[in-house]
Amino acid sequence: QLVDASVGGFKDNNQKVALSSLQSFSKLVSSYGPALEGNCGVLVPAVGGALAHSSMPIRTQATSVLDSLCATLDPVAIAAPLAQTVDFGNQRSKAALVERMRSVVGPLHDRKPQVVMKTVVPLAVRLLDEHKADIKAATTDLVKELYAHLDRDLFSGAHRLSDKAVARFREITGAPPMSPRRAASPRGR
């Protein structure tokens, strides 16, 4: 109920109410931390919506709340809601959300590398076609972060990635093409 009330406040048309809700929730994140993990599916889209608000103080506070959520909560719990919010959220908040996804890649890879391959890599592929400069820059940083943690494993799933996506990933990361002998091996190494 507390989370539902907070989320309602984030979306309030009254800027003072929305800002106050975000400020109060920021304190809750630091107090309750991991107890909020079950609510990531509701929290992340609501905060993502606040990131697109026309008021700068609300956007700033929403950024702070999202940073706290990403730093406090289990990266496995936050990865899927964050990816869904990038896909279906407001265009104005997309670059900031992709930047937060990049910040989660390292801890997520340490905990569950298969979630990175299942959730974050497909998101990066979908983002390759974005035309807005800020989203393109955030996507480039995300792909570089993925390569830093996955190395050639980023390309070993090439059977699931289109040739175009693999070529774009290689272009962004500066990774050399795999030799034919290596390409035939199951792990690309």
Side-chain angles (χ1 to χ4, degrees), residues 6 16 18 21 32 46 58 64 73 81 84 96 98 105-106 108 111 123 135-137 145 153-154 159 161 179 181 188:
S6 295
K16 290 180 182 178
S21 293
Y32 290 99
I58 291 176
S64 175
L73 303 183
Q84 289 171 339
V98 173
V105 168
L108 182 60
R111 290 263 342 265
L123 173 67
I135 299 172
K136 283 175 94 167
E145 187 74 16
D153 288 344
L154 180 59
H159 61 280
L161 298 177
S179 66
R181 190 181 95 240

Side-chain angles (χ1 to χ4, degrees), residues 12-28:
D12 199 288
N13 289 334
N14 184 324
Q15 291 184 13
K16 290 180 182 178
V17 171
L19 184 59
S20 177
S21 293
L22 285 163
Q23 290 169 337
S24 298
F25 193 75
S26 185
K27 295 172 186 168
L28 286 175

Side-chain angles (χ1 to χ4, degrees), residues 3 16 22 27 30-32 42 44-45 55 75-76 80 106 111 114 116 133 136 138 140 151 162 164 175:
V3 170
K16 290 180 182 178
L22 285 163
K27 295 172 186 168
S30 60
S31 299
Y32 290 99
V42 174
V44 174
S55 167
V76 176
R111 290 263 342 265
Q114 65 272 26
V116 174
K136 283 175 94 167
T140 297
D151 196 35
S162 69
K164 179 183 172 186

Side-chain angles (χ1 to χ4, degrees), residues 61-134:
Q61 189 63 45
T63 300
S64 175
V65 169
L66 189 58
D67 287 341
S68 295
L69 288 171
C70 289
T72 305
L73 303 183
D74 182 359
V76 176
I78 204 167
L82 197 52
Q84 289 171 339
T85 305
V86 169
D87 280 336
F88 303 111
N90 191 305
Q91 277 293 110
R92 283 200 264 171
S93 62
K94 193 173 272 196
L97 291 165
V98 173
E99 290 170 9
R100 292 333 171 270
M101 180 60 88
R102 182 186 57 78
S103 74
V104 171
V105 168
L108 182 60
H109 181 263
D110 293 344
R111 290 263 342 265
K112 286 207 172 176
Q114 65 272 26
V115 175
V116 174
M117 293 300 284
K118 182 180 175 187
T119 304
V120 186
V121 172
L123 173 67
V125 170
R126 291 189 298 273
L127 290 169
L128 289 175
D129 293 329
E130 287 289 341
H131 298 290
K132 287 183 66 182
D134 60 340

